[in-house]
Amino acid sequence: MGKAITVSTVDKDGTAYGRTAQSPASVDLSSGQAAPLLEGTLLPTAIGADVTIFGTSTAGGKSILIYPRR
């Protein structure tokens, strides 16, 4: 049996992002196929039609990173 993944966001293409107990992962919801992501991969906090948002902690306090989608 595979590891459980706690999903935090889902992209409009059907890719879900989340974590196993220790590692970031993605899941293709159409196939149910899970894939590990590189350790340290920042997971999106929210995914919109035109932007992806990452909430992060930095040494100077909280930052929100917003990236345009292509």
Side-chain angles (χ1 to χ4, degrees), residues 10 13 18 21-23 25 27 38 40 45 56-58 62 65-66:
V10 179
D13 71 358
Q22 296 118 357
S23 303
V27 179
L38 293 175
T45 304
T56 63
S57 259
T58 63
K62 299 262 182 191
L65 307 172
I66 302 173

Side-chain angles (χ1 to χ4, degrees), residues 2-21:
K3 296 179 182 178
I5 298 174
T6 301
V7 173
S8 56
T9 52
V10 179
D11 201 343
K12 65 183 175 184
D13 71 358
T15 303
Y17 297 94
R19 295 189 68 79
T20 65

Side-chain angles (χ1 to χ4, degrees), residues 25-51:
S26 65
V27 179
D28 180 332
L29 295 179
S30 64
S31 69
Q33 197 71 353
L37 299 173
L38 293 175
E39 198 57 45
T41 297
L42 206 66
L43 297 174
T45 304
I47 301 172
D50 298 323
V51 297

